[in-house]
């Protein structure tokens, strides 16, 4: 598998080509979205926190500004939009209080935002590992397009 | 209204003082429950950029217990406790006289941590309420034992909606020589922060 891990923190994104591995640790209600062009091997990963920025500037924090921006950056690196496919990880509900509260459903809203935006961009979602109530670490291997998800409460999953 | 909010050093000192008094009361309550003398380290008040939040307590992948309270009323926000694994073992030993690995925590141990969180949070909010005359009500606790990064980031989201930074009042507890590593975060929403500062005598343009 690829080496040279590039760590992506909350509200950040990165684009890369092989042999890099794009990694984001500790996804809770945030979403880690991987985009891949298997022909050019251009890869992108964004770790966003909220669905909408309402016109704010901080692009990678929000799905609505971050995802289109990520696509643009990948195209600059040589990706073709029509070749892009997506894998979505995260969007968990880390705490439950017994009473539903929209702030605590942010994980679901984040996952929905990814699907809505990707549909609009015409990008197919190949796989997802979202929801539930546990944290996830995501490793995106740019040479193969594989995403490995590790969690404390569950066996390793490759999607 | 701008999303960027900076504290000058006078405001920071005022919030530290609020944090100090709140933490002092919490330590007293903690002492009573544990039947030991617990002291607090001087709390730090920080405005932290969001991207740094996930690593405040160490690595994002460290397994920690998180006890979370929603705070409603006039000064809404959150209170979050983080207990790293060593602290969980220590607290369970002191209170329940049991040796456990945190991975093996059962309902009773989880209840203990929630209850500790409840007591600490309650006394903290009461003293802030007394000082500022702001009514703050805490919810029942939510609990998670998982990666620190996942817990921290998920909690900060509501605070982050109003800006790119989060205010944290961080407190550490000492049992004699021994530091009980535990992080106590008071995370007021931006509007609440302004209300608190206002009640301490600062105007809202600070």
């Amino acid at each position: 598998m690829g080496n040279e891990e590039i760590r992506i923190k909350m509200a950040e994104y990165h684009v890369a080509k092989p042999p890099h591995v794009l990694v984001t640790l500790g996804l809770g209600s945030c979403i880690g979205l991987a985009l891949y062009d298997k022909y050019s091997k251009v890869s992108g990963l964004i770790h966003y926190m909220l669905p909408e920025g309402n016109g704010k500037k901080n692009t990678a924090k929000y799905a609505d500004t971050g995802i289109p921006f990520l696509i643009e950056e990948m195209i600059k690196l040589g990706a073709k939009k029509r070749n892009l496919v997506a894998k979505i990880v995260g969007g968990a509900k880390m705490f439950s209080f017994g009473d539903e509260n929209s702030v605590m459903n942010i994980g679901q809203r984040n996952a929905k935002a990814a699907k809505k935006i990707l549909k609009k961009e015409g990008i197919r979602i190949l796989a997802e590992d979202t929801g539930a109530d546990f944290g996830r670490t995501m490793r995106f291997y740019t040479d193969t397009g594989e995403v490995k998800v590790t969690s404390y409460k569950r066996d390793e999953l490759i999607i | 209204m701008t999303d960027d909010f900076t504290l000058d050093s006078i405001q920071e000192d005022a919030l530290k003082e609020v944090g100090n008094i709140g933490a002092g009361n919490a330590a007293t309550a903690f002492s009573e429950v544990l039947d030991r003398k617990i002291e607090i380290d001087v709390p730090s008040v920080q405005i932290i950029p969001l991207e740094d939040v996930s690593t405040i307590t160490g690595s994002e992948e460290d397994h920690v217990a998180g006890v979370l309270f929603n705070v409603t009323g006039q000064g809404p926000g959150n209170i979050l406790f983080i207990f790293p694994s060593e602290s969980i073992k220590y607290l369970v030993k002191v209170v329940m006289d049991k040796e456990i690995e945190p991975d093996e925590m059962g309902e009773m141990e989880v209840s203990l941590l929630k209850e500790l969180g409840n007591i600490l949070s309650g006394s903290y909010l009461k003293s802030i309420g007394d000082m500022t005359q702001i009514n703050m009500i805490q919810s029942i606790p939510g609990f998670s034992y998982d990666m620190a990064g996942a817990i921290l980031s998920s909690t900060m989201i509501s605070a982050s909606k109003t800006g790119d930074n989060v205010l944290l009042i961080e407190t550490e507890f000492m049992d004699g020589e021994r530091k009980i590593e535990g992080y106590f975060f008071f995370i007021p929403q931006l509007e609440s922060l302004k209300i608190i500062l206002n009640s301490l005598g600062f105007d809202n343009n600070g």
Side-chain angles (χ1 to χ4, degrees):
Chain A
M1 298 247 181
N3 44 27
E4 298 189 47
E5 290 203 340
I6 298 176
R7 292 271 178 101
I8 288 131
K9 294 197 279 192
M10 194 163 60
E12 285 188 348
Y13 78 98
H14 207 91
V15 294
K17 286 173 113 162
H20 297 287
V21 183
L22 298 172
V23 182
T24 194
L25 306 175
L27 285 163
S29 51
C30 297
I31 289 283
L33 170 65
L35 293 180
Y36 192 57
D37 174 348
K38 72 178 183 191
Y39 301 101
S40 64
K41 302 267 185 191
V42 173
S43 312
L45 180 64
I46 179 174
H47 177 152
Y48 67 82
M49 300 179 71
L50 289 163
E52 279 154 26
N54 295 319
K56 289 193 192 145
K57 289 184 321 184
N58 190 337
T59 48
K61 184 173 162 187
Y62 308 103
D64 66 345
T65 47
I67 298 175
F69 187 58
L70 182 68
I71 295 168
E72 265 177 46
E73 293 293 296
M74 289 176 71
I75 291 171
K76 281 188 200 167
L77 208 55
K80 295 269 185 293
K81 192 170 171 188
R82 64 175 179 274
N83 294 333
L84 292 179
V85 291
K87 291 182 179 173
I88 312 175
V89 177
K93 186 162 173 257
M94 296 301 297
F95 289 95
S96 77
F97 289 85
D99 60 326
E100 288 314 302
N101 169 326
S102 71
V103 170
M104 293 302 136
N105 274 331
I106 190 68
Q108 279 181 327
R109 288 170 49 209
N110 276 336
K112 259 177 144 175
K115 292 172 190 180
K116 180 173 140 205
I117 294 166
L118 291 170
K119 185 167 178 200
K120 189 168 143 218
E121 299 279 354
I123 294 174
R124 190 158 62 102
I125 300 170
L126 283 188
E128 82 176 270
D129 177 30
T130 59
D133 62 353
F134 50 84
R136 297 167 167 92
T137 279
M138 176 181 186
R139 287 190 157 76
F140 178 23
Y141 296 90
T142 62
D143 50 359
T144 59
E146 267 184 1
V147 169
K148 188 192 287 187
V149 184
T150 48
S151 300
Y152 160 62
K153 293 180 188 176
R154 192 195 59 182
D155 291 342
E156 181 183 284
L157 184 69
I158 297 187
I159 59 172
Chain B
M1 201 225 298
T2 173
D3 286 329
D4 291 324
F5 188 81
T6 52
L7 294 175
D8 64 38
S9 65
I10 299 178
Q11 290 169 319
E12 207 172 293
D13 284 347
L15 287 174
K16 273 190 181 151
E17 193 49 32
V18 169
N20 222 347
I21 293 174
N25 279 287
T28 303
F30 208 7
S31 294
E32 282 166 13
V33 169
L34 297 186
D35 201 21
R36 298 163 94 87
K37 177 108 176 77
I38 303 291
E39 285 167 2
I40 48 149
D41 257 2
V42 175
S44 70
V45 174
Q46 302 172 71
I47 297 214
I48 299 189
L50 267 182
E51 59 265 22
D52 295 343
V53 150
S54 300
T55 49
I56 301 171
T57 62
S59 158
E60 296 100 321
E61 290 188 300
D62 286 344
H63 294 140
V64 299
V67 182
L68 176 68
F69 298 89
N70 286 327
V71 178
T72 53
Q74 295 168 304
N78 290 109
I79 285 185
L80 173 70
F81 290 88
I82 300 283
F83 297 109
S85 291
E86 284 309 304
S87 306
I88 296 170
K89 283 159 83 165
Y90 169 80
L91 290 168
V92 169
K93 180 83 175 101
V94 165
V95 178
M96 296 169 70
D97 200 21
K98 238 172 130 180
E99 309 262 355
I100 54 134
E101 285 303 311
D103 286 5
E104 299 160 4
M105 264 194 292
E107 265 185 54
M108 291 205 48
E109 289 81 14
V110 170
S111 273
L112 168 64
L113 293 177
K114 279 164 125 174
E115 191 50 32
L116 284 175
N118 215 2
I119 292 168
L120 292 175
S121 180
S123 45
Y124 192 92
L125 285 180
K126 180 172 188 309
S127 55
I128 295 188
D130 287 347
M131 272 185 73
T132 59
Q133 298 303 303
I134 296 171
N135 182 241
M136 291 185 277
I137 303 154
Q138 71 183 49
S139 67
I140 55 169
F143 181 85
S144 179
Y145 178 68
D146 212 306
M147 296 186 208
I151 291 175
L152 287 161
S153 62
S154 304
T155 308
M156 303 302 166
I157 281 184
S158 65
S160 80
K161 277 197 212 155
T162 45
D164 296 325
N165 298 299
V166 174
L167 172 83
L168 300 177
I169 301 181
E170 191 182 320
T171 303
E172 289 175 347
F173 297 93
M174 311 273 296
D175 175 5
E177 288 297 300
R178 186 206 169 106
K179 190 166 90 159
I180 306 172
E181 218 182 321
Y183 299 85
F184 175 13
F185 300 106
F186 175 47
I187 310 158
Q189 291 180 14
L190 187 61
E191 278 312 308
S192 306
L193 179 58
K194 292 180 177 173
I195 292 170
I196 291 170
L197 285 170
N198 210 3
S199 78
L200 295 175
F202 296 92
D203 69 44
N204 268 340
N205 298 319

